[in-house]
């Protein structure tokens, strides 16, 4: 027989029947306690119900008595006031005489006071009596309970008056408090509309509130019952609902479920304690019996120790089935462990090396992927800027013939080229496009890039630039050059968290600044700051990719690595001079171009098109303003909206449009492509032309797309083609 079988038979034979008996006893005791609590709640509720019913009956009798008085029949208000005041003295109640709309008399007010309007929703009795609760009594200006009695005419005609005996809910509250003294639960009195009239806890807070939903079914059915509910103040309880009085009032007696649960826990703990005692006895017996098998267990322990020392333990023959089986398993495990260890050690080094390589490739891929996603998204915004400049240029060109204004147009055209290059640069950085070197005039280059660089340091540093007069152009990729300067300006800005000055200087390089290699002329571009500077350890690693001293999330460590890569590819070099506490100076040396820099293009005249009614959908106000101006200057009528959602509303109105011109990426529920699909399904269909600087949306069939930046001529031709068809 196995060890487990012997121990289980010994312990279970003693403990299981006793544990079951203790559990049954605890459950039976709990049920008796719950039954006793329910009986006490029911008796308490019924007795309080009788008290409340008697109190209301007493007020109803007084109301009927006053209703039968001669003063009421004669409509003698003064005598009614006198008789009612005398009859109700010392009862904490007062009386009123009312018509369907007014209180003619009220003993709370002096004789002869003007009538008061009756409380909203106050009933008008044709016969008998009724009880009514008003959150604000017209005379008392606070919650009141009124017992009304009808006054019929002497000749049997319709009811002339209602007599009311009025009292405050505090009178009922005193009865409840006196009756509930010593009761641990909650006691509530509700009227025929299931509104709380008194309560043993927080009565003022809950007066007039509707009773909990769980107690409504027995109240509506006019029967007594026990329900599991949650009180108005959020206490889970067992509630007794009394049968209602003949006035429809009922008593709710609640006992917190926590008290019943506490009783269950107490009985459960008692049963568990008794069962635990028996279990201890069983375990002691099992321990005594296990002494007969100590030696096989100790032998297994020794075999396990040998296995832990990477030795192969011997197989044992103890006479105990389980011990012998475990010993054999330990022997086989030891043998296989030795074989597996040798194989594992031979592959660990290879696996570690492969994991490190894979991790490095993954990190690099993730960084490039993130850069690609970022640049793709930013391309859309920069293309909006480019579109604004280019369209504005062509709008101004229509009425400009003087040389000063022509120079303005040429400057705007150069801004268009700058923006286009910036977008290409952003996308090239995300997709590692090859450099395209050409002559760059640094005077013109800095003039065009000054606004962008100033924005980069706005509010954090002061930017200064000085380009030597007559400086020759450099041979470099303008996009990469702009990125390099921006990286240097960003680093200078971040090195001065408290602010400072950034100096950009361009001049001919001195002999000691010329990089080694073929002879030639070079230009030196320097960016200096007044920041914290760098120590020797940082200077040694400053060009390492992904090395940065900035906090996590504040820098990628690619800035100076890009600058060095750009300088070497252009045939120059970059040097860093920095003193801790005195700032840094980065010198970028670039070769002089052999040919002069190209001159900016001129503006082509717009193409004439037929007059159209155009709905322009563009969320960028700058782009929208210049596009509308360009179209109106060409003779078209335009309506501009800021989103596709607004466009749908306009199209559903009375205006009719020849064509819709919309951007793709916009805020709101719909984008430009979805708007185009809706326009194709419009009755009648509306032609659509879409524009985008960067999008991954699929183009709707039959819809022409313009890529930003587009020219005014392109736009006019596209609109005309969309209206007239191919």
């Amino acid at each position: 027989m196995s060890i487990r079988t012997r121990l289980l038979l010994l312990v279970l034979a003693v403990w299981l029947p006793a544990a079951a008996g203790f559990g049954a006893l605890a459950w039976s005791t709990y049920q008796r306690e719950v039954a006793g609590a329910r009986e006490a709640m029911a008796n308490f509720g019924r007795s309080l119900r009788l008290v409340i019913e008697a109190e209301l009956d007493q007020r109803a009798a007084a109301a009927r008595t006053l209703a039968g008085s001669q003063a009421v029949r004669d409509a003698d208000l003064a005598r009614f006031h006198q008789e009612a005041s005398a009859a109700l003295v010392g009862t904490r109640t007062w009386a009123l005489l009312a018509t369907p709309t007014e209180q003619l008399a009220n003993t709370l007010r002096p004789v002869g006071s003007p009538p008061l309007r009756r409380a909203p929703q106050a009933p008008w009795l044709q016969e008998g009596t009724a009880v009514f609760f008003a959150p604000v009594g017209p005379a008392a200006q606070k919650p009141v309970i009124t017992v009304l009695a009808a006054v019929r005419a002497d000749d049997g005609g319709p009811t002339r008056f209602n007599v009311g005996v009025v009292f405050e809910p505090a009178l009922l509250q005193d009865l409840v408090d006196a009756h509930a003294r010593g009761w641990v639960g909650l006691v509530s009195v509700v009227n025929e509309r299931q509104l709380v009239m008194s309560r043993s806890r927080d009565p003022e807070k809950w007066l007039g509130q509707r009773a909990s939903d769980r107690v409504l079914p027995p109240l509506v059915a006019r029967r007594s019952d026990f329900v599991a509910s949650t009180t108005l103040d959020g206490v889970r309880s067992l509630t007794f609902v009394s049968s209602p009085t003949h006035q429809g009032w009922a008593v709710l007696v609640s006992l917190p479920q926590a008290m019943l649960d506490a009783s269950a826990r107490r009985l459960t703990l008692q049963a568990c304690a008794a069962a635990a005692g028996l279990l201890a006895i069983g375990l002691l017996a099992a321990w005594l019996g296990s002494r007969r098998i100590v030696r096989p267990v100790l032998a297994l322990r020794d075999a396990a120790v040998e296995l832990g020392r990477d030795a192969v333990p011997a197989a044992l023959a103890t006479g105990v089935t389980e011990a012998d089986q475990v010993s054999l398993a330990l022997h086989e495990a030891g043998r296989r462990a030795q074989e597996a260890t040798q194989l594992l050690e031979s592959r660990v080094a290879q696996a570690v090396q492969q994991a490190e390589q894979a991790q490095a490739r993954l990190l690099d891929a993730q960084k490039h992927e993130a850069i690609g996603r970022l640049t793709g998204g930013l391309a859309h915004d920069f293309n909006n800027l480019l579109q604004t400049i280019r369209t504005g240029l062509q709008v101004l060109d229509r009425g400009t013939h003087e040389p000063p204004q022509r120079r303005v147009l040429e400057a705007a055209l150069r801004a268009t080229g700058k923006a286009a290059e910036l977008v290409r640069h952003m996308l090239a950085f995300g997709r590692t496009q090859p450099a395209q070197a050409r002559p760059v005039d640094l005077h013109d280059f800095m003039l065009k890039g000054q606004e962008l660089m100033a924005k980069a340091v706005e509010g954090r540093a002061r930017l200064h630039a000085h380009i030597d007069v007559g400086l020759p152009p450099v041979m470099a990729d303008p996009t990469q050059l702009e990125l390099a300067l921006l990286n240097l300006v960003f680093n200078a800005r971040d090195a001065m968290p408290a602010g400072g000055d950034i100096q950009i200087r361009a001049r001919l390089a001195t002999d000691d600044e010329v990089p080694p290699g073929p002879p030639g002329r070079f230009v030196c571009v320097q960016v200096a700051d007044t920041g914290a500077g760098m120590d020797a350890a940082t200077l040694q690693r400053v060009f390492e990719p992904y090395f940065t001293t900035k906090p996590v999330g504040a820098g990628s460590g690619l800035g100076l690595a890009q600058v060095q890569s750009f300088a070497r590819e252009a045939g120059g070099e970059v040097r860093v001079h920095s003193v801790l506490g005195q700032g840094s100076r980065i010198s970028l040396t670039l070769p002089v171009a052999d040919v002069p820099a190209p001159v900016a293009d001129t503006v082509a005249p717009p193409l004439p098109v037929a007059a159209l009614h155009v709905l322009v959908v563009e969320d960028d106000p700058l782009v929208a303003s210049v596009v509308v101006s360009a179209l109106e200057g060409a003779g078209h009528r335009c309506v501009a909206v800021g989103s596709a959602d607004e466009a749908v509303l306009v199209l559903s109105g009375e205006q009719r449009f020849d064509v819709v011109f919309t951007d793709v990426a916009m805020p709101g529920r719909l984008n430009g492509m979805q708007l185009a699909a809706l326009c194709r399904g419009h009755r009648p269909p509306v032609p659509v032309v879409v524009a985008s600087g960067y999008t991954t949306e699929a183009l709707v069939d039959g819809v022409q797309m313009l890529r930003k930046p587009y020219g005014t001529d392109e736009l006019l031709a596209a609109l005309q083609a969309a209206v007239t068809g191919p």
Side-chain angles (χ1 to χ4, degrees):
M1 184 178 292
S2 67
I3 299 173
R4 180 178 296 175
T5 302
R6 292 179 182 179
L7 293 177
L8 285 177
L9 288 176
L10 180 61
V11 174
L12 294 178
V14 176
W15 184 73
L16 283 179
F22 284 130
L25 179 61
W27 174 253
S28 175
T29 304
Y30 173 71
Q31 291 298 321
R32 287 197 301 272
E33 290 188 2
V34 171
R38 291 165 71 99
E39 183 178 0
M41 294 168 63
N43 292 336
F44 182 86
R46 294 187 186 102
S47 64
L48 181 57
R49 171 190 172 278
L50 294 175
V51 172
I52 297 300
E53 185 174 33
E55 190 68 23
L56 294 177
D57 284 344
Q58 180 181 352
R59 296 316 188 265
R64 286 193 296 269
T65 300
L66 291 174
S69 69
Q70 190 61 42
V72 171
R73 296 182 183 280
D74 296 340
D76 189 341
L77 301 183
R79 187 150 53 94
F80 169 80
H81 192 287
Q82 181 181 7
E83 291 177 357
S85 298
L88 299 177
V89 66
T91 62
R92 298 172 62 184
T93 58
W94 62 93
L96 60 85
L97 182 65
T99 67
T101 60
E102 299 180 314
Q103 289 186 12
L104 300 177
N106 192 308
T107 59
L108 275 184
R109 308 175 71 215
V111 177
S113 298
L116 294 173
R117 292 189 62 84
R118 298 192 69 193
Q121 301 180 350
W124 175 251
L125 298 185
Q126 296 295 333
E127 59 182 2
T129 61
V131 183
F132 168 66
F133 169 72
V136 179
Q141 289 299 304
K142 55 186 174 181
V144 294
I145 299 172
T146 305
V147 180
L148 295 172
V151 180
R152 298 294 297 271
D154 293 338
D155 58 359
T159 300
R160 297 178 60 199
F161 305 108
N162 278 183
V163 174
V165 174
V166 191
F167 59 95
E168 297 181 24
L171 190 147
L172 286 180
Q173 187 63 42
D174 291 344
L175 294 176
V176 171
D177 291 342
H179 199 79
R181 188 174 293 112
W183 179 256
V184 296
L186 175 67
V187 181
S188 302
V189 177
V190 297
N191 66 3
E192 75 284 352
R193 295 171 58 198
Q194 296 86 45
L195 303 181
V196 176
M197 296 292 100
S198 63
R199 200 170 185 265
S200 61
R201 186 168 60 238
D202 299 331
E204 297 84 359
K205 179 179 179 181
W206 303 107
L207 178 64
Q209 298 293 321
R210 191 172 181 82
S212 173
D213 292 341
R214 291 290 186 89
V215 303
L216 294 182
L219 289 174
V220 174
R222 301 182 64 83
R223 57 180 172 80
S224 62
D225 199 358
F226 284 92
V227 295
S229 67
T230 301
T231 63
L232 293 177
D233 44 7
V235 180
R236 292 177 53 251
S237 304
L238 175 65
T239 300
F240 170 73
V241 182
S242 75
S243 58
T245 66
H246 65 83
Q247 297 94 349
W249 289 38
V251 175
L252 309 179
V253 182
S254 300
L255 193 63
Q257 189 63 42
M259 295 182 60
L260 300 176
D261 294 342
S263 176
R265 286 193 297 270
R266 173 176 53 81
L267 294 172
T268 301
L269 289 175
Q270 291 175 353
C272 290
L278 285 180
L279 180 60
I281 295 174
L283 292 176
L284 178 61
W287 177 76
L288 293 175
S290 68
R291 297 184 62 182
R292 298 182 57 186
I293 53 174
V294 167
R295 282 178 293 179
V297 174
L298 293 177
L300 290 177
R301 183 197 63 186
D302 295 339
V305 171
E306 290 185 29
L307 182 62
R309 294 172 180 170
D310 296 330
V312 180
L316 302 176
T318 62
V320 178
T321 303
E322 286 78 2
D324 294 344
Q325 291 175 348
V326 172
S327 174
L328 181 60
L330 291 175
H331 174 76
E332 290 297 322
R335 184 179 60 81
R336 294 177 182 175
Q338 282 188 342
E339 297 174 356
T341 299
Q342 296 174 355
L343 179 62
L344 180 63
E345 290 176 350
S346 66
R347 296 182 179 177
V348 165
Q350 180 182 0
V352 170
Q353 183 180 7
Q354 292 175 349
E356 291 176 349
Q357 294 173 351
Q359 180 70 13
R361 289 193 297 270
L362 176 61
L363 290 175
D364 188 63
Q366 289 174 338
K367 290 178 181 177
H368 282 84
E369 180 185 0
I371 292 173
R373 288 197 302 267
L374 174 63
T375 54
L378 291 177
H380 173 267
D381 294 333
F382 277 102
N383 274 325
N384 279 341
L385 170 65
L386 175 59
Q387 188 61 58
T388 303
I389 298 173
R390 186 169 183 175
T391 307
L393 168 65
Q394 295 178 341
V395 170
L396 293 176
D397 179 59
R398 294 194 183 97
T400 303
H401 305 286
E402 298 299 327
Q405 285 77 18
R406 299 297 300 177
R407 286 195 295 271
V408 173
L409 293 179
E410 291 172 358
L413 182 61
R414 289 195 298 272
T416 304
K418 163 204 173 284
E421 291 176 357
L422 179 58
V423 172
R424 288 195 300 271
H425 153 66
M426 292 168 59
L427 294 175
F429 186 80
R431 295 193 290 263
T432 319
Q433 294 183 350
Q436 298 178 354
R438 63 174 183 265
V440 178
D441 185 345
L442 289 180
H443 295 87
D444 186 55
F445 179 83
M446 289 301 299
L447 182 62
K448 292 189 292 183
Q450 184 176 13
E451 181 181 357
L452 181 61
M453 294 183 187
K455 288 289 185 181
V457 300
E458 186 176 13
R460 297 181 58 181
R462 294 174 297 276
L463 185 65
H464 311 277
H466 177 75
I467 311 298
D468 283 0
V469 178
L471 193 68
V474 297
M475 193 68 179
D477 185 321
T479 300
Q480 296 292 332
L481 174 58
E482 185 174 36
L483 175 62
L485 284 179
L486 280 174
N487 280 330
L488 296 179
V489 169
F490 285 148
N491 285 346
R493 178 201 65 189
D494 294 340
M496 300 182 296
D501 294 303
I502 300 175
Q503 297 282 348
I504 301 178
R505 172 77 186 275
R507 55 175 174 77
L508 285 174
T510 60
D511 293 340
D512 58 344
E513 292 174 335
V514 173
R521 299 173 65 202
F522 289 83
V523 170
C524 179
V525 180
Q526 294 180 334
V527 178
D529 64 68
T530 57
M534 294 177 278
D535 57 21
T538 303
L539 284 172
Q540 290 180 353
R541 304 184 59 189
V542 72
F543 292 114
E544 290 183 14
Y546 305 118
F547 170 76
T548 179
T549 59
K550 299 176 184 178
V552 175
S556 64
L558 291 173
L560 288 179
Q562 181 273 335
V563 175
Q564 185 183 58
S565 175
F566 158 71
R568 290 177 177 176
E569 187 174 3
E573 69 172 2
V574 61
R575 299 178 183 178
V576 179
H577 175 77
S578 182
V579 178
L580 194 63
Q582 299 182 17
S584 302
R585 184 176 70 253
I586 313 296
S587 299
L588 179 63
T589 305
L590 299 173
V592 173
D594 297 331
V595 295
V599 181
D601 298 334
T602 59
V603 181
L607 298 176
V609 294
L612 302 173
H613 193 194
V614 185
L615 175 60
V616 179
V617 188
E618 172 61 63
D619 64 306
D620 190 313
L622 289 177
V623 176
S625 63
V626 295
V627 168
V628 169
S629 297
L631 293 177
E632 291 178 344
H636 300 302
R637 293 185 298 126
C638 298
V639 173
V641 295
S643 69
D645 297 339
E646 294 181 47
V648 172
L649 295 177
V650 174
L651 289 172
S652 63
E654 296 182 356
Q655 293 191 71
R656 294 295 176 262
F657 296 90
D658 298 315
V659 63
V660 174
F661 177 54
T662 176
D663 193 10
V664 174
M666 285 181 293
R669 183 173 55 88
L670 302 176
N671 60 29
M673 293 299 184
Q674 294 168 327
L675 175 61
L678 289 177
C679 289
R680 286 177 62 84
H682 195 272
R683 291 294 179 269
V686 181
V688 180
V689 176
V690 300
S692 176
Y694 175 80
T695 182
T696 58
E697 290 281 339
L699 187 63
V700 177
D701 292 340
V703 175
Q704 183 177 353
M705 173 179 281
L706 295 179
R707 296 289 182 181
K708 294 181 180 179
Y710 52 81
T712 303
D713 295 341
E714 296 178 71
L715 173 58
L716 295 174
L719 295 176
Q720 191 68 28
V723 174
T724 60

